[in-house]
Amino acid sequence: MSEHAVKFYPFHQIKNNENIVLNLREHTWYSMKILIQRVKKAEVVANGDISGAIKQGLVMFIGFAKGDEFDAAKKALEKIKKLRIFSDPDGLMNLSLQDTGGELLIVSQFTLCAAFKSGNRPGFDPAMPPKEANKLYDHMVSYAKTILPGKIATGIFGADMQVSLVNDGPCTFVLDF
């Protein structure tokens, strides 16, 4: 192999300290997409009824991609509860959801996994099929209720929902897991 040749590795063979270029035309990996917003209050309405509402805390929109597993969802929740994105008395982002006793509103949103590879209309091929995503969402919500007891509210998976919130900051973050 010449010094300028590029060697392609299957994803599972990549090691942390190797200088590797991935052939992204042959390999595509999707991951869950999470958008969180720090809020003063929020609510979600589905079928004309409020299905979930919180006071100060975070709204978490989550889109599951094909291949996502519960371990990644669990890791995401553990990270989110510890993110230091709330202001301390000096106005610095030093406090977490856990520190502040804030609440978490979890809303499923498959459109976060949209692909705009060609054209102007979104494609949802990267999104996990609804039955699988619903199971993963339910499992994630159950776990959230164990690590933040009494602090979890939700939308309704697959429903047409209207989300109202008062963004605090504004303060919005996108996470990939």
Side-chain angles (χ1 to χ4, degrees):
M1 206 178 226
S2 75
E3 66 179 287
H4 298 291
V6 176
K7 184 175 180 183
F8 294 102
Y9 293 83
F11 185 71
H12 68 277
Q13 291 180 1
I14 296 173
K15 295 184 175 66
N16 290 337
N17 57 359
E18 291 179 346
N19 187 5
I20 296 174
V21 176
L22 294 175
N23 183 343
L24 294 177
R25 291 186 191 276
E26 291 181 21
H27 302 287
T28 303
W29 296 276
Y30 305 116
S31 64
M32 77 178 64
K33 305 286 186 222
I34 299 173
L35 184 137
I36 57 172
Q37 294 186 301
R38 188 178 70 191
V39 298
K40 293 201 179 275
K41 64 179 179 176
E43 73 178 22
V44 61
V45 173
N47 304 319
D49 296 319
I50 296 173
S51 65
I54 64 169
K55 294 179 183 165
Q56 184 255 343
L58 296 173
V59 174
M60 178 176 103
F61 297 97
I62 184 158
F64 294 110
K66 290 177 182 170
D68 284 341
E69 296 179 354
F70 177 66
D71 286 344
K74 181 178 175 182
K75 180 180 173 185
L77 283 169
E78 292 290 347
K79 179 85 170 177
I80 289 167
K81 83 172 186 175
K82 295 177 185 174
L83 286 175
R84 297 183 335 167
I85 57 176
F86 291 90
S87 298
D88 67 12
D90 295 325
L92 301 174
M93 285 190 199
N94 277 326
L95 301 176
S96 68
L97 187 66
Q98 188 174 358
D99 296 332
T100 61
E103 299 173 297
L104 180 63
L105 175 59
I106 304 173
V107 180
S108 63
Q109 187 175 351
F110 78 98
T111 59
L112 287 172
C113 294
F116 291 91
K117 206 171 189 179
S118 62
N120 297 319
R121 186 177 176 158
F124 298 104
D125 187 55
M128 182 178 279
K131 282 186 180 180
E132 289 176 56
N134 193 1
K135 286 180 188 175
L136 185 53
Y137 176 79
D138 289 344
H139 198 183
M140 183 181 200
V141 168
S142 293
Y143 182 73
K145 289 178 178 179
T146 66
I147 64 169
L148 292 166
K151 302 290 184 177
I152 303 299
T154 66
I156 297 174
F157 185 90
D160 180 27
M161 297 176 277
Q162 294 74 50
V163 180
S164 302
L165 58 90
V166 177
N167 197 320
D168 182 14
C171 195
T172 303
F173 301 93
V174 177
L175 298 92
D176 291 316
F177 282 88

